[in-house]
Amino acid sequence: MFKSNFMRPLSIIAPLAIAALLGAATAPLAEPQSGGTLNTTTTGYRTLNPGVQSGAATGVPGSQIFAGLVLIDEDYKATPYLAESWSVSDDNLSYSFKLVQGAKFHDGKPITSADVAFSLDTVKTNHPFGKAMFGNVASVETPDPSTVVFQLSAPIPGLLLSLEPLLMPILPKHVYGDGQEVKKHPRNMENVVGSGPFKVAENVPAERLVLVKNEEFFIKDRPYLDKLVFSVVKDSLTRVLMMEKGEIDYIGFSGIRPTDAERLEKTGNLTVTTEGYGAIGYIHYLELNLRDKPFNDRKVREALATAIDTNFIAKILFGGRTTVGTGPLHTGSVFYTSDVPSITADLDKAAKLLDEAGYPAGANGERFSFTLDIPSWAKQAHVPMAEYTQSQLGKIGVKVELRQAPDFGTWVKRISSFDYQATMNGSFNYPDPVIGVHRHFDCDNIRNVIWSNTQGYCDPAMDAMLDAAAVETDLDKRKATYAEIQRKAAEDLVFIYMPQDFTATVYSKKVGNPPASVFGPLAPWHEVYLKN
Amino acid sequence: MVKSLSKRIGNAVALLLAVLILNFTLIHIAPGDPVEVLAGEMGGATPELLAEIRASFGLDQPFHVQLLTYLGNVLQGDLGYSYYYDMPVTNLILERIGATLLLVVTALLFALFIGTALGIASAQKRNSFLSHLVTVISLAGFSAPVFWVGIMLILLFAVAIPILPVAGMVSADTPSGSFAYILDVARHLVLPVLTLASIYLAFYSRLSRASMLEVLESDYVRTARAKGLSRFLVVYKHALRNAILPVVTFAGLQFAQVISGAVLVETVFAWPGLGTLAFESILRRDSPTLLGILFFSALLVLIVNILIDITYRLIDPRISAK
């Protein structure tokens, strides 16, 4: 202990001294420092095991507690984490991973290939995207404790992306393999044994979650931080005030409005960024029930899209802090293309299209009316977008009645039972389109389940392209297929895409190395440090 | 007194049973499906999984079967299992009830004592500056929405003049179980208590002022004054005892309202109590948890009312004599 404390200042001073002796003209780069407590918040979580639950509430702390085989960098490239190396067979049907030697769980037991096999099986069975991610993993072989081989029945181009701690956390088989249902396992919340850079020290779900440094983490000298404290704060205004006062050092998925961002930046101590959400890809859209009149008519949908000026929404309603969406893929995705048929806002043209579609203006100027549902979640985005849509469509004789859902359950029930005309909606892309995008377009995914193909779109040509993209391993060919898919979605006007979500991370200037990969706050924070 | 009290307790038990049945029925007929919410929170699920979840919570049974099962379980001390938190409701409530009681009882006592003191003081000099000030503050406190008062207090005492924390029950770095922890909780308690007490402070000051004014006009007080008793004795021994009766009555009745007020205050101040849990349970259609909270609140209100009844009899012996 004495030695490490004594050596720490030396390790910081030495490079600076050498630079000074050499007469370096440039300012020395800041050296990460060990120690300190990072204060952050959570809106509350029902489990700490990301292997059985998706979403940021579990994912952010979960990625600190559990390690994954790989990490994904800013360019969507996999880099070693618990797997120090891997190889892929020529036919892309076999992936062999070599685990880091000496890696241990938080209870001191070694992390072996058996744990990896157990984790994959758990995720495949229990995670909402388990099947989408690992459905084509036919078997997992464990030739020795540090080698694990995935045998695939068909190529999974996004396999490595799904091996991040968020999506495939390495779980201890000796804890969760006791025969109890992993989804409801008591150890998901009590006495949690993880494999990641931080260990659970205190878990009071109503109050706070305290994680402390895992001294035996498999990456030497990491993490830098001694402690992470997640205080439970549900109200976004309260979070803004806490940030303003400096009670919080870092928040991902902050839930703030663009106007709050300006206010927080003015403090001079805080940075607000929308970077680091590429792999999540949060997009908003106006969803129309395509089964019934008038939205089963493409011309009507085109009229609506022509009346709504999404540039206005992005610039004025979102303060210019977000980007206009052009299709089902987030602009941060490697598969995104802007080369799709676009529609320019024009009220006269919109009115003409409705005339052509057989909806002329009546004596009172009204053509038709419909109810637009507003979800109970992400109100800061949905409410202004819905109100703007109502006002714009009113100008072309379409009467829109807004219906604000009182709670999540009411909205989910309406949409998943297809008992709606139109709704503001939004969903995550997730790192691979197979997980987050295909679900909205697949003919066989028209199900009574929220965030499936609830609008009822089905086109065999689209299905064929989705099936091809799902197994294409050549990146360029895959990009080309997804470009076609985006063009087809725009041509068919499956959804009317709104500006992308203003998802922001807010952090104090004293935070060094804020998580910068495409997973942002959902990636492990072992490189994060506090200055001074 | 014992006989009437046991009758009172008997009534309370019957009332509690009625509350259970009514709450269960109301929640059952409310729109929204907890299973859909659970599936939504998971990001999506197959119809088979929906059916499986429904069966695992007994939600596929007819209403009367569900109600009878629920009542039977409650009688055995089992309040059910939370759909969302995957844990027994009783544990969930016991984890948080301490924080709510701390907030609610402190706020109620604060409002009761300070409100009554202000009311009595202003009643004695009804046209003084203090009297008018109390009237104005009462009006403001009573009309302002509680969450607005909370945010204004945060802006004033935590952001503009940063002497108190913005939210939470304890600072991130305070170790649990230490003396520093108690002090830290007390510091965090100030703003939520002031916010929650603001409405009731106004109410009690108005009520005690009106009641005191009426009593001070009565014949027996005039007689006491005529006997030459000191002002202190007249006000605090003779008048207060009668003037305080309506205040005590309302304290009991209002306990339920203070608990409901805590829902908003706890949300604004990130206070880890039953209020936030109730709020989330409604949004998530977690009916066993919501029913459990309603049951606990009803139980608390009944207990407090029985205690108020006893207090009432102690203050006014005529009631026991009757």
Side-chain angles (χ1 to χ4, degrees), chain A residues 297-377:
Chain A
D297 184 344
R298 190 200 170 276
K299 213 158 227 174
V300 174
R301 303 202 293 274
E302 191 184 344
L304 262 54
T306 311
I308 299 167
D309 185 356
T310 49
N311 278 306
F312 175 88
I313 301 178
K315 274 192 197 135
I316 308 298
L317 300 185
F318 288 149
R321 285 180 180 264
T322 180
T323 316
V324 171
T326 56
L329 279 138
H330 192 269
T331 49
S333 166
V334 283
F335 301 108
Y336 171 77
T337 179
S338 58
D339 181 20
V340 297
S342 63
I343 291 175
T344 314
D346 183 342
L347 286 174
D348 293 335
K349 193 182 164 198
K352 211 173 140 227
L353 282 164
L354 287 179
D355 286 339
E356 286 168 21
Y359 293 96
N364 57 356
E366 196 180 311
R367 295 167 190 274
F368 65 88
S369 65
F370 72 93
T371 303
L372 174 59
D373 283 301
I374 308 175
S376 60
W377 48 277

Side-chain angles (χ1 to χ4, degrees), chain A residues 245-268:
Chain A
K245 205 195 157 192
E247 288 182 11
I248 300 169
D249 303 313
Y250 177 94
I251 312 189
F253 296 93
S254 59
I256 61 166
R257 297 166 303 177
T259 42
D260 296 326
E262 208 159 298
R263 178 176 161 168
L264 291 172
E265 281 169 345
K266 271 188 191 154
T267 61

Side-chain angles (χ1 to χ4, degrees), chain B residues 94-118:
Chain B
L94 290 179
E95 257 176 23
R96 300 181 188 221
I97 200 162
T100 294
L101 280 178
L102 180 66
L103 173 65
V104 165
V105 172
T106 316
L108 195 65
L109 289 179
F110 180 81
L112 200 58
F113 283 107
I114 304 293
T116 311
L118 283 175

Side-chain angles (χ1 to χ4, degrees), chain A residues 37 39 46 53-54 128 202 206-208 229 232 234-235 237-238 241-242 245 247 407 409-410 412 416 447 449 451, chain B residues 36-37 40-42 45-46 83-84 96 151 158 164 166-167 170-172 174 176 181 267-268 270 272 280 285:
Chain A
T37 299
N39 294 315
R46 61 200 294 254
Q53 169 82 42
S54 73
E202 192 183 340
E207 195 182 323
R208 63 178 177 179
V229 180
V232 179
K234 295 182 189 294
D235 187 65
L237 189 57
T238 307
L241 291 170
M242 290 175 87
K245 205 195 157 192
E247 288 182 11
D407 53 59
T410 307
V412 169
S416 63
R447 298 186 297 155
V449 169
W451 295 306
Chain B
E36 292 278 359
V37 177
E41 299 254 353
M42 290 160 144
T46 58
Y83 302 149
Y84 183 76
R96 300 181 188 221
I151 289 166
L164 289 166
V166 173
V170 66
S171 300
T174 311
S176 298
Y181 183 87
T267 308
V268 171
E280 285 162 36
R285 302 260 158 230

